Amino acid sequence: MDDKAQSIIDAKAKVLKALGHPTRLFIVEELARGKRCVCELVKLVGADFSTVSKHLTLLKNAGVVQDDKRGQMVFYTLKVPCILRFMDCIEAVIVSGSCK
Amino acid sequence: MDDKAQSIIDAKAKVLKALGHPTRLFIVEELARGKRCVCELVKLVGADFSTVSKHLTLLKNAGVVQDDKRGQMVFYTLKVPCILRFMDCIEAVIVSGSCK
DNA sequence: TATATATTTGGCACTATAGCCAAATAATAG
DNA sequence: CTATTATTTGGCTATAGTGCCAAATATATA
């Protein structure tokens, strides 16, 4: 495999890895319903502000979300909504049975 | 969030996490082209036999691949091919620019 | 300016993951 | 049975990820 192919794989893996954490996946699914400020997500997730902020930073670096500062609040939105359509397939993996 | 919703999120995150590693993603994309024995994947990946075997076990536990033992060789196949269709969306995330 | 609110960053402890080697297991050939 | 090949498992070290607290930053308001 050449360098270019490798870096494409790496970039895709990075996106998938970003989605591969329960809290971050929850955030992404919540953002699919509309923009949310960090404070709202903190309440929904039930973790520390700093923890949620770091998850959001990671999602942003992966290109999954984008932020929009309004006054003292920061709103996050899903950057690539097609990610949500994929979830049907992931659910198919789950119900197919051999998840341990 | 109730326990059931949480366990669904956890299961989906587990699948995404399994895909979120360059070597495992490479394996999945290779398996999309057809069944492969471990020895073939070892050559393609260029890692130790044990390393590849462990990645395959993880993918199997996540429900992404299945194995089929034929004699002394074990062939792996993609269990839920729809995963590959998702890659187009992941690529959209990549090209959208803010990947670091 | 002082204060309050929203968010991020630094730092730390804890846990999890990756990958190698060596050993164990399984199947086949001789 | 022995040797060989294919694969998995155990064990280890190194590295990365998670989540909390405390501190820093940014913005708004009195």
Side-chain angles (χ1 to χ4, degrees), chain A residues 1 6 8-17 19-23 25-26 29 44 60-65 79-94 96-100, chain B residues 1 6 8-17 19-23 25-26 29 44 60-65 79-94 96-100:
Chain A
M1 187 162 46
Q6 183 64 58
I8 292 174
I9 287 263
D10 288 349
K12 288 195 282 188
K14 183 177 177 178
V15 175
L16 291 162
K17 189 176 185 177
L19 298 171
H21 184 284
T23 298
L25 187 54
F26 174 82
E29 294 190 346
L44 290 166
K60 191 170 78 169
N61 285 339
V64 175
V65 304
K79 198 170 174 188
V80 191
C82 63
I83 285 177
L84 268 294
R85 276 190 275 119
F86 178 52
M87 292 305 153
D88 294 340
C89 172
I90 299 297
E91 304 229 23
V93 177
I94 296 172
S96 75
S98 54
C99 301
K100 289 175 188 171
Chain B
M1 185 162 48
Q6 184 65 58
I8 291 175
I9 288 264
D10 288 349
K12 287 195 283 190
K14 182 177 177 179
V15 174
L16 290 161
K17 187 176 186 178
L19 296 171
H21 184 285
T23 299
L25 187 54
F26 174 81
E29 294 190 345
L44 291 166
K60 191 171 77 170
N61 286 337
V64 175
V65 304
K79 198 170 173 189
V80 190
C82 62
I83 285 178
L84 268 295
R85 275 190 275 120
F86 179 53
M87 293 305 152
D88 293 340
C89 173
I90 299 296
E91 305 230 22
V93 177
I94 296 172
S96 74
S98 55
C99 301
K100 287 174 187 169

Side-chain angles (χ1 to χ4, degrees), chain B residues 12-79:
Chain B
K12 287 195 283 190
K14 182 177 177 179
V15 174
L16 290 161
K17 187 176 186 178
L19 296 171
H21 184 285
T23 299
R24 289 193 293 266
L25 187 54
F26 174 81
I27 288 172
V28 166
E29 294 190 345
E30 184 59 32
L31 293 182
R33 306 169 66 182
K35 68 167 55 177
R36 297 284 186 272
C37 69
V38 182
C39 53
E40 288 172 303
L41 294 170
V42 165
K43 282 179 201 153
L44 291 166
V45 167
D48 194 82
F49 241 103
S50 64
T51 300
V52 173
S53 178
K54 281 174 183 173
H55 281 307
L56 288 166
T57 299
L58 196 153
L59 285 169
K60 191 171 77 170
N61 286 337
V64 175
V65 304
Q66 60 192 166
D67 56 351
D68 173 26
K69 189 158 197 171
R70 293 281 173 96
Q72 52 195 145
M73 287 156 85
V74 178
F75 288 89
Y76 280 85
T77 49
L78 244 198
K79 198 170 173 189

Side-chain angles (χ1 to χ4, degrees), chain A residues 2 7 9 23 27 48 57 59-60 66 68 74 82 88 90 95 98:
Chain A
D2 59 45
S7 67
I9 287 263
T23 298
I27 289 172
D48 193 82
T57 299
L59 284 168
K60 191 170 78 169
Q66 59 193 164
D68 174 26
V74 178
C82 63
D88 294 340
I90 299 297
V95 300
S98 54

